[in-house]
Amino acid sequence: QAADTMSYSGRTTNLARALEQVRRELGDATTAALVVVSDGAVTEPVSLDKTLSFFRAAGIPIHVVGVGQNKFTRDIEVTNVAMPRQALKGASIAADVLINHRGFDNERARLLIEDDGRLLAMEDVTLLARQPAQTVRVQFLLKEAGPRHLKFHIVPATDEVVSENNTREAELTVQDRRQRILYFEGEPRFEVKFIRRALAKDDNIRIVSLIRTAESKFYRLGIDTPQELATGFPQRPEELFSYDGLILGSVEAGFFSTDQLQMIADFVSRRGGGLLVLGGKRTFANGGYFATPVAEVLPLVLEAKQGQPFRVEARVQPTARTETHPLTEFMRTEKNISSWKTLPPLTVLHPLYEVKPGATVLLEGRAPGLPGALALLTQQRFGRGQALVFNVQNSWRWRMHQDISLDDQTHQTLWRQLLRWLVQSVPDRITFQTSASEAVPQESVEVRAQVLDAGYLPRNNAEVRLLVTTPIGDQLRLPMHWVAAQDGIYQAHFTPKHAGMYDVRVETPSESGFDTAETHIQVGAATREYFQAEMNEILLRRIATATGGQFYTAADVSKLVEEVKPVQAGATVLKRLPLWNMPAAFLLLLVLIAFEWVYRRWRGLV
């Protein structure tokens, strides 16, 4: 295509897509070589293997001319922001911001987090010379429900090469809904009273308590209907899976049937719920949980049977890895909170030290005479959900101990943070994701949804719809088609025409009406070109080497003419003729049509 006929109207460049388009357009044409002038930008994760294999097999070398700088002299880039896509109203959000820098060794930069222009948080960052790519964790509070358009921005220096890459934007939906947690306690204990009291003013967390008072007798608190938990602990997965979280207190494994133990494990792995197991007289090894499905889910390694009776008063403290974790950060930022050093010790009845490979110890306990630190609060992901162990007998002492002042909020804040974190990422029966984190007008967006039934098993061949509300109020209703090769997976595409916030909702009929899931997509100007803008020499050399070509820079591009060797072959000309200009083919087609009609008439089909 001639340079004077090119429109240059594209919003992004994509080397992989461009090479694939050239491959299709060449067809069987005889080509001596292909010359590519590029900085190596690949704005979409597309594999080049198939395309390069075509050029290599066709004997078409690709000569690559690299443009741009290998390394910028001074540049700061906010490369990525990792944070939840959904959160409860009033939750403390932790975001991990990946920052890359060149030429700013040991200088300070200011990171700002904004919500539609309103400053949420500010963090001063030292850009370490030994760490050109570093992750900064920032925390902020979101008190208003609805879609939030967040901006993570580093104030640019005056001499930066590219300042547009100092900003990353992210979408987050703040939900004002009630998450239900079932707390099953095997015996009356003070923990029930004080945990419920700590969450009494939290409108987004509802604790339903089931307390065993005697054999086959239970006391229920916080139930929604008289029928809820009327027969004790749930017997069917659908009943247990209606909760978002599950707390198990001092209750032995022998209380549960084999099916119920497996159901608790499935609650975490299949339903994606949050499980919290508390320390108590009848838990862990003393409760006979070794070699049960529940033990497989837990982040700690359980012994077959506990030996000598164990009881220590342990001082609680965070680990080095979790000092900035949302569960422990409040100790530094909230008012009326005791420090870890001044909190009274808590009673521990189980000597649990060994954690599983994928687990994280958030709180540990130390006491004289112990061989090491006890794992008190431990967490791990398991399947779609997560499991936690809080191995203490009496956390209520942080509320009622004589050394705790009346206005101290440590106990209440810890339990609010803990239980919100337990259920904040629990998935619904519909989960979906979009193909574009940064959508632009006129660029297709793919939506893929996973649809599950009441038992959280995949639903195939269901009626699933995609509803998109545009910034100007128009609504698109599109059917989502089942991807037959994948159980419970449906997909659809839509193309945003305008910039702004799009409301995207997936819904399907269910036994209780409709199951729905909702998110929001911000559509605006494409900014992908400003990120990783240095010349990708490794990729460009790979393209040239894989096809038998050469790599050049602006300094030696004059050698390119000598490398392109003309081919001794005729030109391929594609000529299109109407069918009636070829009598033989036209008559053959008429004969076939006539034969087909006679056959259908003979068989009585017409």
Side-chain angles (χ1 to χ4, degrees):
Q1 188 174 2
D4 57 356
T5 63
M6 294 183 180
S7 63
Y8 303 99
S9 59
R11 299 176 182 272
T12 61
T13 61
N14 190 299
L15 179 57
R17 188 185 299 172
L19 287 174
E20 177 61 23
Q21 181 177 345
V22 171
R23 184 189 73 82
R24 292 195 302 267
E25 291 179 354
L26 283 177
D28 297 328
T30 303
T31 306
L34 183 66
V35 178
V36 172
V37 181
S38 174
D39 62 356
V42 179
T43 54
E44 295 178 9
V46 179
S47 175
L48 284 167
D49 294 339
K50 181 180 178 180
T51 304
L52 297 182
S53 296
F54 165 81
F55 286 105
R56 183 171 57 250
I60 303 175
I62 300 179
H63 300 293
V64 181
V65 181
V67 294
Q69 301 180 36
N70 270 322
K71 291 184 179 180
F72 293 149
T73 53
R74 283 173 65 82
D75 185 59
I76 301 175
E77 176 183 287
V78 180
T79 303
N80 186 52
V81 176
M83 59 179 289
R85 291 296 303 271
Q86 295 182 339
L88 286 177
K89 179 182 176 181
S92 176
I93 307 298
D96 291 325
V97 183
L98 177 61
I99 301 173
N100 280 274
H101 68 93
R102 292 192 189 279
F104 287 86
D105 296 350
N106 299 320
E107 296 186 30
R108 294 181 68 81
R110 176 159 292 179
L111 174 63
L112 307 177
I113 298 92
E114 299 177 357
D115 177 13
D116 288 332
R118 181 181 57 190
L119 184 65
L120 291 178
M122 181 174 60
E123 189 84 15
D124 287 328
V125 181
T126 300
L127 303 173
L128 303 176
R130 66 178 185 276
Q131 202 171 347
Q134 62 189 82
T135 300
V136 178
R137 169 159 287 191
V138 292
Q139 289 190 277
F140 48 90
L141 198 65
L142 292 173
K143 299 181 179 181
E144 298 179 8
R148 316 312 307 170
H149 182 62
L150 305 181
K151 180 183 294 185
F152 297 79
H153 175 67
I154 287 184
V155 179
T158 56
D159 56 349
E160 277 195 66
V161 178
V162 180
S163 60
E164 289 85 355
N165 61 3
N166 287 39
T167 302
R168 279 282 185 183
E169 298 179 354
E171 309 303 321
L172 184 144
T173 302
V174 180
Q175 299 175 327
D176 188 10
R177 68 175 186 176
R178 187 180 66 176
Q179 302 283 82
R180 300 173 71 243
I181 299 175
L182 172 59
Y183 178 10
F184 179 38
E185 186 59 75
E187 60 183 357
R189 58 193 291 207
F190 289 130
E191 287 291 77
V192 178
K193 172 183 176 180
F194 286 97
I195 292 175
R196 292 186 59 86
R197 184 179 293 178
L199 276 296
K201 296 182 179 181
D202 193 325
D203 296 331
N204 298 112
I205 300 293
R206 175 70 177 274
I207 295 183
V208 179
S209 302
L210 180 67
I211 308 164
R212 182 176 60 180
T213 57
E215 187 70 27
S216 301
K217 291 186 178 181
F218 304 95
Y219 181 57
R220 298 174 294 164
L221 290 169
I223 56 176
D224 290 332
T225 65
Q227 293 75 31
E228 185 175 4
L229 304 175
T231 59
F233 192 81
Q235 302 288 330
R236 298 178 297 108
E238 292 78 4
E239 185 181 359
L240 179 60
F241 291 0
S242 66
Y243 298 94
D244 301 289
L246 172 63
I247 304 174
L248 293 180
S250 182
V251 55
E252 68 281 2
F255 168 84
F256 303 105
S257 67
T258 302
D259 290 341
Q260 285 177 314
L261 290 171
Q262 184 59 56
M263 185 173 64
I264 294 173
D266 291 341
F267 175 80
V268 179
S269 61
R270 195 172 84 208
R271 190 261 183 269
L275 171 65
L276 172 62
V277 180
L278 305 180
K281 293 184 294 184
R282 298 184 176 92
T283 55
F284 307 124
N286 286 349
Y289 281 92
F290 177 76
T292 65
V294 175
E296 184 180 355
V297 171
L298 298 182
L300 292 164
V301 177
L302 304 185
E303 300 292 336
K305 188 176 182 181
Q306 189 166 306
Q308 297 295 324
F310 183 87
R311 183 186 180 94
V312 297
E313 303 296 315
R315 290 279 180 183
V316 181
Q317 61 187 40
T319 63
R321 293 178 58 192
T322 59
E323 287 186 351
T324 58
H325 194 278
L327 280 176
T328 57
E329 175 70 10
F330 73 90
M331 299 294 283
R332 295 195 297 111
T333 58
E334 297 282 347
K335 297 180 179 179
N336 299 327
I337 298 294
S338 299
S339 67
W340 294 107
K341 294 181 179 179
T342 60
L343 285 171
L346 301 180
T347 305
V348 181
L349 303 179
H350 303 276
L352 299 176
Y353 300 96
E354 185 178 358
V355 300
K356 294 179 180 177
T360 302
V361 179
L362 303 173
L363 296 176
E364 61 184 16
R366 296 185 179 274
L370 294 180
L374 292 163
L376 295 189
L377 181 59
T378 317
Q379 178 267 350
Q380 78 168 359
R381 299 294 304 180
F382 191 90
R384 301 178 75 223
Q386 65 172 334
L388 290 88
V389 168
F390 193 24
N391 181 28
V392 298
Q393 166 73 4
N394 49 3
S395 72
W396 55 266
R397 293 184 67 182
W398 284 356
R399 181 59 183 160
M400 297 301 295
H401 194 274
Q402 61 182 3
D403 295 336
I404 298 293
S405 64
L406 292 177
D407 61 348
D408 191 293
Q409 298 292 309
T410 304
H411 180 268
Q412 296 96 312
T413 306
L414 172 68
W415 275 103
R416 282 198 296 267
Q417 294 285 90
L418 179 59
L419 296 187
R420 277 176 165 267
W421 189 58
L422 181 72
V423 298
Q424 74 172 1
S425 59
V426 174
D428 293 322
R429 287 164 58 173
I430 297 179
T431 56
F432 70 97
Q433 60 184 6
T434 58
S435 60
S437 58
E438 297 179 0
V440 297
Q442 308 304 325
E443 184 177 284
S444 177
V445 176
E446 180 188 62
V447 179
R448 291 177 66 88
Q450 182 182 46
V451 179
L452 307 176
D453 61 17
Y456 283 79
L457 295 171
R459 285 182 62 191
N460 293 334
N461 204 25
E463 180 187 350
V464 184
R465 293 185 294 271
L466 175 67
L467 288 81
V468 181
T469 303
T470 70
I472 61 175
D474 294 339
Q475 190 173 79
L476 308 176
R477 299 175 64 90
L478 305 171
M480 298 195 71
H481 303 288
W482 172 38
V483 181
Q486 297 177 279
D487 288 335
I489 302 298
Y490 298 79
Q491 69 177 8
H493 296 79
F494 74 96
T495 301
K497 295 182 180 180
H498 310 282
M501 185 74 75
Y502 283 71
D503 177 80
V504 182
R505 189 165 77 252
V506 176
E507 67 176 26
T508 182
S510 67
E511 63 281 352
S512 58
F514 280 92
D515 288 338
T516 63
E518 185 176 11
T519 191
H520 300 82
I521 300 176
Q522 181 71 27
V523 177
T527 60
R528 284 169 282 186
E529 297 294 327
Y530 298 114
F531 293 88
Q532 298 178 350
E534 297 170 331
M535 182 175 67
N536 190 346
E537 184 175 338
I538 294 177
L539 174 63
L540 297 178
R541 286 187 178 276
R542 177 195 162 205
I543 293 172
T545 302
T547 59
Q550 297 292 327
F551 173 78
Y552 303 92
T553 62
D556 59 359
V557 70
S558 59
K559 303 176 184 178
L560 174 60
V561 178
E562 302 173 3
E563 295 292 338
V564 179
K565 297 180 174 55
V567 294
Q568 302 298 323
T572 301
V573 178
L574 181 63
K575 189 174 182 180
R576 299 179 183 273
L577 295 173
L579 186 60
W580 48 82
N581 281 8
M582 295 180 289
F586 184 63
L587 290 174
L588 178 60
L589 179 61
L590 289 178
V591 170
L592 290 175
I593 294 175
F595 176 77
E596 188 265 350
W597 183 85
V598 171
Y599 177 77
R600 288 167 59 86
R601 184 172 179 83
W602 175 62
R603 296 297 303 268
L605 299 177
V606 293

PDB file of all heavy atoms in Angstrom, residues 168 247 265 431 444:
ATOM      1  N   ARG A 168      -1.745   4.575  35.627  1.00  0.00           N
ATOM      2  CA  ARG A 168      -2.551   3.385  35.334  1.00  0.00           C
ATOM      3  C   ARG A 168      -3.937   3.598  35.925  1.00  0.00           C
ATOM      4  O   ARG A 168      -4.079   4.118  37.038  1.00  0.00           O
ATOM      5  CB  ARG A 168      -1.930   2.121  35.939  1.00  0.00           C
ATOM      6  CG  ARG A 168      -0.809   1.522  35.137  1.00  0.00           C
ATOM      7  CD  ARG A 168      -1.328   0.743  33.955  1.00  0.00           C
ATOM      8  NE  ARG A 168      -0.233   0.074  33.249  1.00  0.00           N
ATOM      9  CZ  ARG A 168      -0.384  -0.627  32.147  1.00  0.00           C
ATOM     10  NH1 ARG A 168      -1.584  -0.761  31.606  1.00  0.00           N
ATOM     11  NH2 ARG A 168       0.630  -1.197  31.555  1.00  0.00           N
ATOM     12  N   ILE A 247     -17.307 -20.680  59.790  1.00  0.00           N
ATOM     13  CA  ILE A 247     -16.390 -20.716  60.935  1.00  0.00           C
ATOM     14  C   ILE A 247     -16.676 -21.984  61.722  1.00  0.00           C
ATOM     15  O   ILE A 247     -17.832 -22.252  62.084  1.00  0.00           O
ATOM     16  CB  ILE A 247     -16.570 -19.489  61.851  1.00  0.00           C
ATOM     17  CG1 ILE A 247     -16.397 -18.190  61.059  1.00  0.00           C
ATOM     18  CG2 ILE A 247     -15.580 -19.532  63.002  1.00  0.00           C
ATOM     19  CD1 ILE A 247     -16.699 -16.941  61.877  1.00  0.00           C
ATOM     20  N   ALA A 265     -15.086 -29.479  52.698  1.00  0.00           N
ATOM     21  CA  ALA A 265     -13.964 -29.297  51.771  1.00  0.00           C
ATOM     22  C   ALA A 265     -14.449 -28.751  50.437  1.00  0.00           C
ATOM     23  O   ALA A 265     -13.812 -27.875  49.835  1.00  0.00           O
ATOM     24  CB  ALA A 265     -13.219 -30.614  51.586  1.00  0.00           C
ATOM     25  N   THR A 431     -19.666 -15.975  37.292  1.00  0.00           N
ATOM     26  CA  THR A 431     -18.458 -15.168  37.281  1.00  0.00           C
ATOM     27  C   THR A 431     -18.080 -14.918  35.829  1.00  0.00           C
ATOM     28  O   THR A 431     -18.278 -15.794  34.982  1.00  0.00           O
ATOM     29  CB  THR A 431     -17.299 -15.862  38.003  1.00  0.00           C
ATOM     30  OG1 THR A 431     -17.060 -17.146  37.415  1.00  0.00           O
ATOM     31  CG2 THR A 431     -17.609 -16.042  39.484  1.00  0.00           C
ATOM     32  N   SER A 444     -13.617  -4.502  19.528  1.00  0.00           N
ATOM     33  CA  SER A 444     -14.481  -5.544  20.073  1.00  0.00           C
ATOM     34  C   SER A 444     -13.997  -6.009  21.450  1.00  0.00           C
ATOM     35  O   SER A 444     -12.800  -6.161  21.686  1.00  0.00           O
ATOM     36  CB  SER A 444     -14.521  -6.737  19.110  1.00  0.00           C
ATOM     37  OG  SER A 444     -15.301  -7.785  19.645  1.00  0.00           O
TER      38      SER A 444
END
